[in-house]
Amino acid sequence: ENADHLLAPRSLSPPDQNPLPRQRHGMLFRSALFYASLACLLALAATLDKKVVHVPGFPESPLFSHAVISGGTIYVAGTVGVNMTSVRDGRPTLCAGGIKAETACAFAMIGEVLKAAGPGTTLDNILDCTVFVGDLARDYAPLNEAYTKIFPKDPPARAAFGAKGLALNAAAEFKCVAAL
């Protein structure tokens, strides 16, 4: 059988040779419109369930929240290892001792953020961690030593990147995603 009519543009095909009847064209369009509308509504719903997490005793910032919860997921802001009780020029100071100490302090703070996000939420709820390291060549091995003490078993997924100019000249900054 000759199938040339299937290759011709639909708008030029005579109605009797069109492989899909007119009513099916309309039904397919309505289905596509329905699913596109549903996707938009789901995206809107995700923004409507946004909850900002404030940690008592942590300084507030007009630039970012400590964390945001949406859809059962906690998005923790980038965190550097600072000592919240040691303040100089109105800002907390970095934990002394290099990247190992800063890593321990940063995750202590992240633990506080997770606790404020929901009862029973701990570092074990972290699913993914992005690490920004000021001097990757020098600090990668000591970072991993400190990190494996924090996550001795079943660590979260992780990516580490070299980054210049971290806040307060920190050795590392950690950004996490956790399950509520």
Side-chain angles (χ1 to χ4, degrees):
E1 183 177 330
N2 185 350
D4 288 342
H5 68 280
L6 295 175
L7 301 176
R10 296 208 191 281
S11 61
L12 301 177
S13 297
D16 61 328
Q17 289 185 0
N18 193 338
L20 292 174
R22 252 195 211 298
Q23 61 267 38
R24 285 208 49 210
H25 280 295
M27 188 171 69
L28 290 174
F29 175 76
R30 285 191 302 274
S31 292
L33 185 60
F34 168 77
Y35 285 111
S37 299
L38 182 62
C40 288
L41 287 172
L42 289 174
L44 179 62
T47 61
L48 294 177
D49 94 348
K50 174 182 167 180
K51 177 186 169 205
V52 173
V53 176
H54 299 282
V55 182
F58 281 25
E60 296 292 326
S61 171
L63 305 175
F64 61 88
S65 301
H66 299 135
V68 173
I69 300 171
S70 181
T73 304
I74 308 165
Y75 301 89
V76 180
T79 305
V80 296
V82 295
N83 181 345
M84 296 301 284
T85 60
S86 173
V87 178
R88 186 178 316 134
D89 298 325
R91 304 172 101 179
T93 60
L94 291 171
C95 291
I99 194 160
K100 288 182 182 180
E102 288 182 36
T103 299
C105 288
F107 277 99
M109 291 178 59
I110 291 168
E112 291 299 314
V113 172
L114 294 174
K115 190 175 8 172
T121 309
T122 68
L123 295 177
D124 290 334
N125 291 70
I126 296 176
L127 305 171
D128 182 56
C129 183
T130 303
V131 184
F132 303 96
V133 186
D135 188 337
L136 201 55
R138 180 191 69 204
D139 287 335
Y140 193 67
L143 164 73
N144 286 337
E145 282 181 48
Y147 194 84
T148 55
K149 287 180 181 170
I150 295 162
F151 299 106
K153 178 180 119 167
D154 300 327
R158 185 185 94 170
F161 301 95
K164 296 283 183 206
L166 297 173
L168 302 175
N169 288 321
E173 182 170 345
F174 304 88
K175 183 175 183 349
C176 300
V177 177
L180 187 58

